[in-house]
Amino acid sequence: LDGIFASMWAKFNDRNRKDIQWIVCDGPVDALWIENLNTVLDDNKILTLANGDRIPMTDNVKLMFEVEDLRNASPATVSRAGIIYVSDSDLDWEPVLQSWLKKKNAPTTASMSGVFASCFHKYVGTCEGPKLYGHLFLFLLKSCKPVMSCSRVGMIEGCCNLLDGLLDICDLAVTADALAIELERVFIYALTWSVGGLLEIEDRIKFTHYIITTAGNNKTALPTMQETDTLFEFKVNSDSMEWERWVAPTWEYPSTVDDPDFSSMLVPTVETTRASYILSNLHRKRKGALMTGSSGTAKTSTALMFFDSVQNTNEAMRIKKICFSSATTPFMTQISIESELDKRGGKSFGPPGGKKMTFFMDDLSMPEKNGWGDQPTLELVRQLIETSGFCFLDKDKRGDLKIIEDLQYIAAMGHPGGGRQDIPNRLKRHFFVFNMILPSSQAINEIYGQMMMGRYKGVTSLFLGVVANLPNVTVTLWNWMRTKMLPSPSKFHYTFTLRELSRVFQGMLRTPRSSITDAKSLVYLWRHESERVFCDKLTNMEDKQLFTSQLDACTRELVTVASAAKASQAASSRPSVMSTNSTKFAKTNKKAATARNTDDLDGSDAINVDDIVEKDIVFVDFMRDDEYDEDGVLVNEAPKVFELVDSIDIARNRVQMFMHHYNEQFPSRSLNIILFDDALRHLLRISRCLGMPKGCILLVGVGGSGKQSLTKLASYCAGCTTFQITVTKTYNMNSLLDDIRVLYKTCGHKGERITFLFTEGEIKDEGFLEVINSILTTGEVPNLIPKDELVIMASELRPLAVKQIPNFVETPDNFVKFFIDRVRSNLHVVLCMSPVGSKFPERARKFPGIIAGCTIDWFLPWPKEALIAVSQGYISRMDLDCLPKVKEELIVHMGLVHKTVVDSCEEYFLKMRRHVYQTPKSFLQFLSDYGTMYKVKAAEIVTKASRVEIGLEKLKAGAKDVEKMKIVLAEEEIKLQQSEAATNVMLSKLEISSMEAKKEADAVAKIKEVCQADAKRIAGEKGDAEEDLAKAQPFLDEAERAVGSIKPNDLNELKKLGKPSDIIKLIFDC
């Protein structure tokens, strides 16, 4: 089939058309594509297609290329087209500003134009030449380092767009002097975020000082700030037009709901509030915005909170989220956008119902670059934003432009650098770009402090002190992880963002209030969740030991501060909160907390810190039993209560019971797992994630670590159905989508809980991970379920939606959102990956949802105790022919052998810098092979022993036979002597006969020699005769031919001759 360009070329190159047609190729030039157009650009002017078609260029068609650079164009291409180079420093930002100022020359806004012109001149400078583009930009170039590059034109245009949005809501003064001051304040605010919005905290301080210095004595235009404040902490009140400090809006814990959904609790902070304010002002003017920031800076959460506010105030606005990854192609992007649009007439398309739609493009920079350094996916996005459309892909309409109406765009991406890509500059210019920074420790404490105080409202004494100080201690632990556990090539996933912090509190808030009865159990829960989130993703024991030491120190500090708060409770009704800057603990407090018990004043809720630190904490949610009536009919399923278990042995017995039930229910795929401590702990970690709404987990370990078996058993314990795809030779992307479509209908419509187990060996196509990434990030897979079917299926969930969500607004979009949320809550994705090789880190980089959307559990090599336990499980079932003591020593020896080999692999890596892996699968195969070989060798020994016994019996029988044969031998010996004498006589006769025969033979030999000599002589004479004959033969043959030629007439003629000539006489004489 012809492509889009070929279809356009064939359509417009028609000699019957009288109008002039311009074909504009807007986008980067790659070497392959432009080389194929060489025949069009030269004098031939013919486009040659792959199918052999040749389409000439007609006179009414003009071809123009609009590119950012020519780095991939060959000299042959450049020489065939006229070049017009537009430098960014020739015009720079001055024309953009003048154009905007002229729009303010209307009678109602004429006074604004002069004020803003003077503000730009004062704070930015003037654009006078290639290297004189404004003192503010020169300052940024020399003193600051933005997180990403952005053109000066884009910054000034963003400033103008933000000013337009702010002026719509500002209540400006009437008098000229007051108006000038208010407009200067608004200008400083817009300039701060448009030009300085890409700076980090340190550079924001420099930027603020520069603006203050530039303002000079005009302090009325600036806010009243402290030394540590920056302009970014302030905004201009749209009513009073005075500066005011940003304050996060109040948020209340949903106390009316017994078990609130943690993922839906979006607590606004100062960062999210001021970002939402910028988004709202730009969105109102239909301008795009791009949030950039490091991982975990709440970019997505900010967008979601903003969209909630938009939909609450504007019912005509719809929201669509698209999450990009490295496997996102232009086709996938176009299909995702088209699936949300309806036809409005002709070639115009738009959101359904005449509404408007905002597309939120998350991880915008993720699409992979092609071989020429371009990002075709983002070029399609740029085309959509610039031209409000793209081309039809249908065969009959291919090449025609599809007009897209009523779309707006907001995007988010990570900081470029460190392996992360930037986006094209031509796309960047369409967005107002600003940087999202991590919230302060105080803001984080406020977020999670409100959650904890809302959950444990009404507690007193030491319990209240622990609740009040838990957020701050957790932030301290989180900051320690960020500073000490730094990422490296082998530990690329050591990124501790706000996601990890939120997962700690998600686990704590997941636990029913009834299960946490005192401060001690709350501390247990906090330590357990901190270990699950922070410690389980660490890759070696050294890091885990460092974390454990820090966790113990934080625990002691928490108990110390909570006890101090309790002691001062009589003087103050509000417990003291630990300083946000307390990253180092006081030695006296640590020593005191270590040496003594921190008791309550009345001894009712004493906490022994040493007991907490030393206790093996286990929280599970499968200890309750199902309820049956007297007839054995199931009345209620076992409630999933996340609660503390006294010891790990209790949990092991419970899991073994579930494994027994599983093997009875599924005998064809029974599980025979040896639940040593490490394996059981991994199972409990998997079970913890499966019990959480939207809980997904990434299991990383070498082959044979037990990832799949433990997942299946944990899924059974959690009451989930395990699903795993069956990869065949014909399994492709459509097959995967069919399987996931069934999962969505089962989880979303029927409400069944499913564990989707997906292993590294099942990644037949890297595009599979694009689907998994979409499930983990947004839960929406483009074109998975037809839109009409999805709306109908989601509408059937109306009773559940109204019951579960207070004040639920019944719209098709909300029903679909409820359906997707229900799918994400019930569908738990378990990814099994191996750290061996380079594929895992590469996939984690290309598909960020694998790391960001999952809790990570890193499987370390089995310890010696685990190896011995597994060895015992295998060998104890074997029937060994040895003493019990020898069997026990063999069990220990088998574990030590594998441990020795593993240690040798580490030593080999240190010496040779090459990895060699001895996996648990190798150990299991070692045990299995030992059992098989033992049976074979034991059977061989039994066979050999039986053969020896039979041989001995034969030897005994042979001895008896020998005695009998001795007698026979004596008799036969006499006969032998007689025969020997007869033989000797015969031999003497034969000797005489042989002598006579020898004489006769000699005589015959002499005769033979004479005969052979005669034969040789005769043969020689014969040869000579034959040689003479051969020489005379031709003459004889010629004479015979001559005689034969004489005819009777010739003789008669001779007779008539009376006197023949001499020659005739000579002939006849011969």
Side-chain angles (χ1 to χ4, degrees):
L1 296 176
D2 292 338
I4 292 176
F5 182 81
S7 301
M8 285 185 176
W9 190 261
K11 176 181 178 181
F12 294 117
N13 283 277
D14 185 359
R15 299 186 185 279
N16 296 324
R17 300 179 71 113
K18 302 301 182 183
D19 53 345
I20 301 296
Q21 297 292 329
W22 284 85
I23 298 179
V24 181
C25 298
D26 186 3
V29 173
D30 64 64
L32 181 62
W33 182 78
I34 198 64
E35 286 296 327
N36 292 332
L37 288 183
N38 278 347
T39 56
V40 175
L41 301 178
D42 61 16
D43 294 337
N44 295 321
K45 294 186 178 181
I46 295 176
L47 178 65
T48 304
L49 302 180
N51 58 9
D53 292 347
R54 295 166 59 86
I55 307 174
M57 182 178 181
T58 58
D59 295 335
N60 66 315
V61 172
K62 310 295 181 183
L63 189 61
M64 183 174 71
F65 298 90
E66 185 178 354
V67 299
E68 182 178 359
D69 53 53
L70 295 172
R71 65 181 186 272
N72 292 319
S74 65
T77 302
V78 175
S79 63
R80 286 179 167 91
I83 305 296
I84 300 177
Y85 175 64
V86 181
S87 174
D88 59 347
S89 60
D90 288 345
L91 300 177
D92 220 292
W93 52 267
E94 189 70 28
V96 177
L97 173 62
Q98 295 301 326
S99 174
W100 181 78
L101 291 175
K102 287 181 179 179
K103 295 179 182 177
K104 300 299 178 185
N105 284 333
T108 56
T109 59
S111 58
M112 296 183 184
S113 178
V115 174
F116 284 134
S118 62
C119 288
F120 273 103
H121 179 75
K122 177 180 180 180
Y123 291 98
V124 181
T126 57
C127 189
E128 299 175 354
K131 295 183 179 180
L132 299 175
Y133 36 76
H135 59 81
L136 179 60
F137 291 115
L138 290 173
F139 165 76
L140 292 176
L141 181 63
K142 295 178 181 179
S143 304
C144 301
K145 186 178 180 180
V147 294
M148 64 187 296
S149 63
C150 190
S151 65
R152 296 183 294 274
V153 175
M155 292 181 183
I156 296 299
E157 186 177 5
C159 181
C160 297
N161 292 334
L162 184 56
L163 283 172
D164 286 336
L166 292 171
L167 294 175
D168 286 349
I169 61 173
C170 288
D171 185 9
L172 298 174
V174 178
T175 62
D177 294 340
L179 177 63
I181 295 175
E182 292 175 355
L183 291 180
E184 187 173 358
R185 290 172 182 169
V186 176
F187 172 80
I188 292 176
Y189 174 82
L191 184 70
T192 298
W193 281 102
S194 60
V195 179
L198 288 174
L199 303 177
E200 291 285 17
I201 297 177
E202 297 80 6
D203 289 336
R204 289 186 176 187
I205 297 174
K206 298 178 183 178
F207 181 86
T208 300
H209 291 164
Y210 185 80
I211 294 297
I212 294 175
T213 304
T214 306
N217 297 326
N218 185 14
K219 303 299 182 182
T220 57
L222 296 174
T224 303
M225 295 182 291
Q226 300 176 1
E227 292 183 1
T228 58
D229 289 337
T230 66
L231 289 171
F232 297 86
E233 273 83 45
F234 297 87
K235 73 167 183 175
V236 179
N237 188 296
S238 58
D239 296 327
S240 65
M241 297 305 295
E242 296 288 340
W243 287 101
E244 64 179 22
R245 186 179 293 273
W246 279 109
V247 179
T250 58
W251 178 85
E252 294 183 1
Y253 182 83
S255 56
T256 57
V257 183
D258 295 334
D259 189 13
D261 183 10
F262 181 84
S263 61
S264 64
M265 290 191 294
L266 300 176
V267 182
T269 63
V270 172
E271 276 294 323
T272 59
T273 303
R274 59 191 181 188
S276 298
Y277 182 73
I278 295 174
L279 293 178
S280 63
N281 285 292
L282 294 170
H283 191 265
R284 192 185 315 109
K285 304 300 290 184
R286 299 183 59 81
K287 302 297 181 181
L290 171 62
M291 295 176 286
T292 181
S294 58
S295 179
T297 50
K299 300 183 292 295
T300 304
S301 299
T302 301
L304 294 178
M305 284 190 284
F306 169 69
F307 292 144
D308 288 341
S309 64
V310 168
Q311 289 185 312
N312 291 335
T313 57
N314 185 6
E315 296 182 357
M317 178 61 69
R318 304 184 65 180
I319 306 298
K320 172 64 178 179
K321 181 179 179 182
I322 301 178
C323 189
F324 289 87
S325 73
S326 64
T328 305
T329 62
F331 176 76
M332 296 167 61
T333 304
Q334 182 166 342
I335 292 300
S336 300
I337 296 173
E338 287 179 340
S339 63
E340 300 297 324
L341 307 178
D342 287 348
K343 188 172 183 179
R344 290 186 172 179
K347 298 179 181 179
S348 298
F349 290 78
K355 296 184 177 181
K356 299 180 180 180
M357 178 176 287
T358 300
F359 275 92
F360 175 56
M361 297 174 287
D362 204 359
D363 290 325
L364 183 64
S365 62
M366 282 303 298
E368 194 170 17
K369 293 183 178 180
N370 58 19
W372 297 277
D374 304 320
Q375 293 171 286
T377 303
L378 299 186
E379 295 298 333
L380 177 72
V381 174
R382 181 183 62 82
Q383 179 189 6
L384 174 62
I385 297 175
E386 281 186 359
T387 65
S388 298
F390 37 61
C391 295
F392 282 94
L393 299 179
D394 304 335
K395 183 179 179 181
D396 55 338
K397 297 181 181 179
R398 185 166 300 167
D400 293 346
L401 292 178
K402 178 183 292 188
I403 302 172
I404 310 298
E405 300 174 345
D406 296 333
L407 293 188
Q408 295 178 241
Y409 309 94
I410 293 178
M413 59 175 281
H415 289 161
R420 293 179 294 272
Q421 303 172 145
D422 200 351
I423 62 175
N425 293 325
R426 300 187 65 196
L427 173 62
K428 198 183 301 180
R429 63 170 288 269
H430 294 287
F431 293 101
F432 181 96
V433 188
F434 63 96
N435 181 36
M436 297 284 291
I437 61 175
L438 285 172
S440 63
S441 298
Q442 181 181 359
I444 298 174
N445 288 337
E446 292 175 356
I447 295 173
Y448 298 109
Q450 293 179 65
M451 292 183 181
M452 295 298 294
M453 295 302 292
R455 183 60 178 268
Y456 297 99
K457 184 182 295 184
V459 298
T460 58
S461 190
L462 183 63
F463 200 168
L464 179 60
V466 172
V467 171
N469 288 279
L470 257 180
N472 194 33
V473 176
T474 309
V475 172
T476 301
L477 180 63
W478 173 66
N479 283 326
W480 182 87
M481 293 294 294
R482 293 174 57 212
T483 55
K484 299 297 183 182
M485 300 296 176
L486 300 176
S488 67
S490 60
K491 303 173 183 177
F492 62 92
H493 63 289
Y494 275 26
T495 53
F496 300 94
T497 64
L498 285 175
R499 291 190 184 94
E500 279 70 28
L501 197 61
S502 66
R503 285 173 183 151
V504 175
F505 289 96
Q506 180 183 9
M508 296 179 66
L509 296 176
R510 167 202 176 189
T511 308
R513 176 68 180 83
S514 58
S515 298
I516 308 300
T517 57
D518 55 9
K520 192 173 185 179
S521 58
L522 181 60
V523 176
Y524 282 148
L525 177 61
W526 172 75
R527 283 180 61 91
H528 178 269
E529 293 304 310
S530 299
E531 289 177 348
R532 298 291 74 77
V533 174
F534 296 125
C535 188
D536 288 348
K537 70 190 300 184
L538 303 181
T539 61
N540 54 58
M541 290 304 301
E542 292 78 7
D543 291 349
K544 288 180 180 290
Q545 291 170 0
L546 288 174
F547 169 80
T548 303
S549 300
Q550 183 65 21
L551 181 63
D552 294 344
C554 289
T555 303
R556 299 180 193 282
E557 181 67 12
L558 173 63
V559 175
T560 301
V561 176
S563 301
K566 175 187 174 183
S568 61
Q569 187 175 5
S572 174
S573 60
R574 184 177 182 180
S576 64
V577 181
M578 190 168 53
S579 171
T580 58
N581 296 324
S582 60
T583 58
K584 297 183 179 179
F585 304 122
K587 295 182 178 179
T588 55
N589 289 339
K590 182 187 294 186
K591 182 176 180 181
T594 306
R596 64 180 176 80
N597 292 343
T598 307
D599 298 335
D600 191 1
L601 296 177
D602 57 2
S604 59
D605 53 357
I607 295 181
N608 189 315
V609 182
D610 293 332
D611 290 344
I612 293 177
V613 170
E614 295 172 1
K615 181 175 177 59
D616 188 8
I617 304 173
V618 178
F619 276 84
V620 297
D621 63 352
F622 49 75
M623 298 302 296
R624 306 295 176 95
D625 294 320
D626 296 331
E627 296 181 7
Y628 295 90
D629 59 10
E630 298 177 353
D631 299 328
V633 179
L634 180 65
V635 178
N636 293 315
E637 293 184 353
K640 298 298 179 182
V641 180
F642 198 59
E643 55 192 347
L644 179 66
V645 179
D646 293 336
S647 69
I648 195 172
D649 292 329
I650 297 176
R652 180 182 287 107
N653 295 332
R654 184 74 174 177
V655 173
Q656 287 176 342
M657 181 200 74
F658 278 111
M659 184 166 62
H660 177 70
H661 293 336
Y662 180 91
N663 293 337
E664 288 182 346
Q665 187 173 353
F666 307 103
S668 60
R669 41 194 173 99
S670 60
L671 298 173
N672 296 312
I673 304 175
I674 299 170
L675 294 172
F676 53 88
D677 286 355
D678 266 26
L680 180 60
R681 292 183 193 280
H682 284 298
L683 184 142
L684 297 180
R685 293 164 191 168
I686 300 171
S687 175
R688 167 184 171 273
C689 288
L690 297 182
M692 286 184 176
K694 304 180 182 179
C696 301
I697 188 168
L698 170 63
L699 307 179
V700 185
V702 295
S705 300
K707 302 186 290 293
Q708 296 187 53
S709 300
L710 293 175
T711 299
K712 293 174 183 177
L713 183 55
S715 177
Y716 185 79
C717 296
C720 300
T721 303
T722 303
F723 174 80
Q724 193 170 5
I725 66 174
T726 303
V727 179
T728 60
K729 185 181 294 185
T730 59
Y731 197 91
N732 54 19
M733 179 63 75
N734 291 330
S735 305
L736 177 66
L737 293 177
D738 291 339
D739 288 337
I740 294 179
R741 188 177 298 112
V742 175
L743 293 180
Y744 266 56
K745 293 179 179 179
T746 304
C747 296
H749 192 250
K750 298 180 181 179
E752 298 180 8
R753 299 175 62 205
I754 294 180
T755 301
F756 180 23
L757 179 58
F758 191 74
T759 67
E760 191 175 38
E762 294 165 350
I763 305 177
K764 192 175 179 181
D765 181 2
E766 290 295 316
F768 289 7
L769 290 176
E770 169 69 13
V771 179
I772 300 298
N773 186 74
S774 299
I775 296 174
L776 293 174
T777 51
T778 64
E780 299 181 21
V781 181
N783 293 330
L784 181 66
I785 303 175
K787 186 170 26 177
D788 296 340
E789 182 182 354
L790 179 61
V791 171
I792 294 173
M793 193 162 36
S795 301
E796 294 176 357
L797 301 176
R798 177 187 173 280
L800 289 174
V802 173
K803 180 180 179 181
Q804 295 180 11
I805 302 178
N807 303 322
F808 181 77
V809 180
E810 300 181 19
T811 62
D813 290 344
N814 288 339
F815 283 131
V816 172
K817 182 180 178 182
F818 178 77
F819 175 84
I820 296 298
D821 289 341
R822 185 174 163 90
V823 170
R824 297 187 67 189
S825 298
N826 293 326
L827 181 61
H828 304 281
V829 179
V830 180
L831 299 178
C832 299
M833 298 288 181
S834 172
V836 180
S838 61
K839 284 189 175 182
F840 175 54
E842 184 178 349
R843 287 166 174 167
R845 178 183 61 83
K846 291 182 176 180
F847 306 97
I850 294 178
I851 300 297
C854 296
T855 300
I856 302 176
D857 184 15
W858 198 283
F859 282 63
L860 297 181
W862 288 353
K864 182 178 70 173
E865 295 77 11
L867 295 171
I868 294 175
V870 174
S871 176
Q872 183 178 10
Y874 271 79
I875 296 179
S876 61
R877 296 194 295 264
M878 296 172 57
D879 186 13
L880 300 181
D881 188 9
C882 64
L883 297 175
K885 183 179 179 181
V886 176
K887 191 172 186 178
E888 292 177 0
E889 293 176 349
L890 175 64
I891 290 172
V892 176
H893 174 73
M894 299 289 278
L896 292 178
V897 166
H898 185 77
K899 186 69 170 62
T900 304
V901 176
V902 172
D903 294 340
S904 300
C905 293
E906 295 178 0
E907 184 179 351
Y908 179 80
F909 172 73
L910 294 176
K911 290 182 178 180
M912 309 300 294
R913 308 308 298 173
R914 294 183 63 185
H915 280 291
V916 177
Y917 295 95
Q918 283 296 325
T919 64
K921 188 174 184 179
S922 304
F923 180 60
L924 298 177
Q925 189 63 41
F926 171 51
L927 295 174
S928 177
D929 291 345
Y930 175 81
T932 303
M933 186 171 291
Y934 179 83
K935 292 178 181 178
V936 173
K937 294 300 181 183
E940 290 179 359
I941 291 174
V942 171
T943 303
K944 290 179 179 180
S946 63
R947 290 177 180 175
V948 170
E949 291 177 356
I950 294 173
L952 291 175
E953 293 177 358
K954 294 292 184 182
L955 288 175
K956 292 178 181 179
K960 295 179 181 178
D961 293 339
V962 167
E963 294 298 329
K964 294 179 181 179
M965 293 181 67
K966 283 182 180 180
I967 300 173
V968 177
L969 183 60
E971 296 176 353
E972 294 296 329
E973 188 174 0
I974 297 173
K975 296 180 181 179
L976 180 61
Q977 292 175 356
Q978 295 174 355
S979 300
E980 184 178 0
T983 302
N984 290 335
V985 173
M986 185 182 297
L987 286 174
S988 60
K989 293 179 179 181
L990 288 174
E991 287 178 357
I992 297 171
S993 301
S994 64
M995 292 298 292
E996 294 176 352
K998 185 177 181 182
K999 292 179 181 180
E1000 293 293 333
D1002 292 340
V1004 172
K1006 292 179 179 180
I1007 297 171
K1008 180 179 179 182
E1009 290 177 358
V1010 174
C1011 291
Q1012 287 178 346
D1014 294 340
K1016 184 176 181 181
R1017 179 179 53 79
I1018 294 170
E1021 293 176 354
K1022 181 181 178 183
D1024 295 340
E1026 289 179 350
E1027 185 178 353
D1028 294 339
L1029 178 61
K1031 294 179 180 179
Q1033 187 68 37
F1035 300 101
L1036 178 61
D1037 294 339
E1038 185 178 356
E1040 287 180 352
R1041 284 195 300 272
V1043 173
S1045 64
I1046 299 174
K1047 299 178 182 178
N1049 294 332
D1050 296 334
L1051 295 176
N1052 293 331
E1053 185 178 352
L1054 289 174
K1055 289 179 181 180
K1056 293 178 181 179
L1057 294 174
K1059 190 177 180 180
S1061 63
D1062 294 336
I1063 187 63
I1064 294 175
K1065 291 178 181 181
L1066 179 61
I1067 292 172
F1068 274 92
D1069 289 341
C1070 294

